[in-house]
């Protein structure tokens, strides 16, 4: 059963360990060859699956199985502790870790220039919840906004009303127009108009 489950996972997870937790009576009595069929495209953790057995007419349901799927992937791990707001550059190493319960594993390349959201200890696997891209603008800092609507194209000098990283949308106020805008940040201190508030 374990071999059938690993074969089903081979195309999804390059490196996974599978342990059978419980089998239905039909699955336990099914004769090989067997197939395991998951409902989820990328199963991990405790999951259930259907067990199929080969008969003269094709693959037929034989029962069910509960499995523990433990997934290992290369991920960014802190080689040294970092304080809140401190850069992660130079503090990361790539290591094979259990990512079964993690939202998403990131590599050191994906975290270039990122900072810690809170104080982190050495050995911590870094995820998007623990780190953030460096701010492109801080609250009350100047923000150049490219405004475009129809044939009108203009650059506005605004003030950010909140902190944000490149790719995020923040609110900004323009003293010249006495209006507030939503701005998608494209670079430090710059962004594109995304709407008027």
């Amino acid at each position: 059963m374990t071999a059938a489950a690993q074969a089903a996972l081979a195309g999804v997870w390059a490196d996974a360990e599978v342990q059978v937790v419980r089998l239905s009576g039909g699955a336990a009595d099914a004769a090989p060859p067997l197939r395991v069929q998951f409902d989820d495209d990328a199963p991990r953790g405790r999951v259930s699956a259907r067990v199929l057995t080969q008969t003269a007419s094709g693959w037929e349901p034989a029962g069910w199985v509960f499995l523990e799927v433990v997934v290992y992937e290369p991920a960014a791990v802190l080689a040294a502790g970092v304080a809140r707001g401190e850069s992660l550059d130079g503090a990361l190493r790539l290591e094979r870790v259990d990512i079964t319960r993690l939202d998403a594993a990131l590599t050191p390349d994906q975290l270039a220039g990122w900072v810690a959201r809170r104080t982190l200890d050495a050995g911590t696997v870094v995820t998007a919840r623990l780190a953030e891209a460096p701010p492109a603008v801080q609250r009350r800092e100047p923000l150049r906004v490219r405004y475009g609507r129809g044939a009108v194209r203009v650059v506005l000098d605004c003030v950010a009303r909140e902190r944000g990283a490149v790719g995020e949308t923040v609110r900004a106020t323009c003293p010249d127009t006495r209006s507030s805008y939503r701005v998608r940040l494209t670079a430090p201190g710059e962004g594109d108009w995304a709407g008027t508030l």
Side-chain angles (χ1 to χ4, degrees):
M1 187 65 62
T2 302
Q6 286 175 325
L9 291 168
V12 180
W13 300 116
D15 193 5
E17 292 178 4
V18 180
Q19 179 183 358
V20 175
V21 177
R22 191 169 169 207
L23 281 169
S24 68
D29 296 336
L34 299 175
R35 278 191 183 166
V36 173
Q37 194 173 59
F38 295 96
D39 289 327
D40 192 354
D41 291 339
R44 59 184 179 175
R46 179 115 354 145
V47 295
S48 63
R50 289 179 297 284
V51 177
L52 307 175
T53 187
Q54 192 170 30
T55 64
S57 57
W59 291 97
E60 298 287 334
W64 51 264
V65 61
F66 280 122
L67 300 165
E68 185 70 36
V69 179
V70 181
V71 179
Y72 293 91
E73 293 276 307
V77 176
L78 283 172
V82 293
R84 181 177 186 252
E86 190 177 330
S87 173
L88 299 174
D89 292 343
L92 298 171
R93 67 176 183 264
L94 190 63
E95 196 174 295
R96 180 183 173 267
V97 297
D98 177 354
I99 64 158
T100 307
R101 307 269 185 256
L102 299 179
D103 294 338
L106 300 171
T107 64
D109 291 343
Q110 292 172 302
L111 293 167
W114 285 41
V115 297
R117 286 186 191 262
R118 60 182 177 85
T119 300
L120 302 171
D121 296 327
T124 301
V125 178
V126 182
T127 65
R129 285 186 175 179
L130 301 177
E132 60 190 353
V137 69
Q138 294 281 3
R139 187 171 184 242
R140 296 192 184 111
E141 284 186 347
L143 180 61
R144 292 180 54 83
V145 179
R146 288 179 296 280
Y147 179 91
R149 203 168 201 186
V152 176
R153 299 278 182 258
V154 73
V155 175
L156 303 170
D157 290 320
C158 299
V159 176
R161 292 173 52 192
E162 56 196 342
R163 177 191 187 283
V166 172
E168 293 181 337
T169 300
V170 298
R171 294 172 295 154
T173 302
C174 180
D176 293 340
T177 63
R178 296 188 186 126
S179 296
S180 293
Y181 305 102
R182 282 180 323 181
V183 180
R184 188 180 59 78
L185 299 172
T186 56
E190 297 181 7
D192 293 330
W193 173 80
T196 302
L197 298 172

